[in-house]
Amino acid sequence: AQSVTQLDSQVPVFEEAPVELRCNYSSSVSVYLFWYVQYPNQGLQLLLKYLSGSTLVESINGFEAEFNKSQTSFHLRKPSVHISDTAEYFCAVSGHRGSYIPTFGRGTSLIVHP
Amino acid sequence: DSGVTQTPKHLITATGQRVTLRCSPRSGDLSVYWYQQSLDQGLQFLIQYYNGEERAKGNILERFSAQQFPDLHSELNLSSLELGDSALYFCASSVQGAQNTGELFFGEGSRLTVL
């Protein structure tokens, strides 16, 4: 079965500092990779996704993630965070053995301090 | 707004009781997924329905059941509730066919508290 490991359960950072949220997955075949964001008292929203093509994918609000097949990683980065980025971030993988039901990591709580 | 609607948003009940959670998928989506989110287990896949038929099962307890109706809305039934069933239950829907990549559109969830 596929699995996703988010290495940090909580990442505190100051406003305008850079941040990296780490995600590793286990699969030896081609997969689809996602980052979802969950703001307090809301559902999960897609932040960005890797399906194929360029290994660097970007979101509309300044986040980016790079698919690294050799390291089976899909880390999320932002060069300068805002208070409003405070949220729970989930990494997910699908496509393993033809299953399109995504498996989610445990989530990383990004806490941005002023 | 994802287009996925879940009701109720909050539900408080007692152990041993039964509750029903309801979900309406995005317009045009035939697949519905149910997930359970708890602090100790994270986001766990429960079950998927596609156009009225059960398609995949995950970590769903025998006390739980679901169905999808002809109008494509889905219901998750939780019975003989225990304290440990307290969680946030999410419904999600997805596009179909060759375009299906596993990208899901989530509702805002139903928070169940069992006392």
Side-chain angles (χ1 to χ4, degrees):
Chain A
Q2 59 197 10
S3 66
V4 178
T5 302
Q6 292 185 241
L7 296 161
D8 306 296
S9 60
Q10 201 171 80
V11 173
V13 64
F14 286 106
E15 194 173 19
E16 298 184 5
V19 70
E20 178 179 80
L21 307 184
R22 297 178 292 169
C23 171
N24 287 89
Y25 65 93
S26 67
S27 178
S28 59
V29 298
S30 298
V31 294
Y32 302 123
L33 295 157
F34 308 87
W35 276 100
Y36 286 83
V37 59
Q38 184 182 25
Y39 298 104
N41 301 313
Q42 294 187 27
L44 280 73
Q45 307 169 33
L46 182 70
L47 187 61
L48 46 75
K49 60 187 176 185
Y50 170 78
L51 303 180
S52 65
S54 172
T55 58
L56 185 66
V57 290
E58 298 176 352
S59 72
I60 58 172
N61 57 353
F63 283 94
E64 64 179 31
E66 186 159 20
F67 168 54
N68 187 320
K69 188 173 182 178
S70 63
Q71 297 188 3
T72 59
S73 68
F74 191 54
H75 301 331
L76 181 70
R77 302 184 184 95
K78 188 170 185 180
S80 176
V81 294
H82 302 287
I83 295 286
S84 59
D85 293 324
T86 295
E88 192 82 14
Y89 292 80
F90 293 90
C91 182
V93 60
S94 72
H96 179 72
R97 292 185 180 177
S99 169
Y100 296 103
I101 298 171
T103 298
F104 287 83
R106 295 292 299 266
T108 297
S109 179
L110 175 63
I111 302 169
V112 182
H113 297 288
Chain B
D1 183 3
S2 67
V4 178
T5 304
Q6 287 188 250
T7 57
K9 290 195 184 312
H10 301 276
L11 193 54
I12 301 174
T13 189
T15 55
Q17 295 299 305
R18 172 190 170 97
V19 298
T20 297
L21 310 180
R22 181 188 169 105
C23 168
S24 293
R26 286 190 324 158
S27 176
D29 284 354
L30 300 179
S31 262
V32 169
Y33 307 72
W34 287 97
Y35 280 83
Q36 179 193 58
Q37 184 182 36
S38 60
L39 285 175
D40 55 342
Q41 296 289 329
L43 202 61
Q44 296 286 313
F45 167 68
L46 296 178
I47 198 164
Q48 178 203 2
Y49 276 80
Y50 175 79
N51 202 20
E53 305 259 335
E54 181 185 304
R55 181 58 67 92
K57 247 182 179 178
N59 301 320
I60 188 166
L61 299 172
E62 285 193 12
R63 299 183 285 108
F64 296 0
S65 65
Q67 53 185 328
Q68 186 179 28
F69 295 87
D71 67 352
L72 301 178
H73 91 271
S74 177
E75 293 182 354
L76 179 67
N77 301 296
L78 315 174
S79 61
S80 302
L81 286 168
E82 302 174 359
L83 295 177
D85 297 328
S86 295
L88 197 51
Y89 291 85
F90 284 109
C91 171
S93 67
S94 71
V95 298
Q96 318 311 321
Q99 298 174 327
N100 189 3
T101 62
E103 177 181 347
L104 300 184
F105 297 85
F106 283 83
E108 294 196 348
S110 293
R111 183 172 295 282
L112 173 65
T113 303
V114 182
L115 301 176

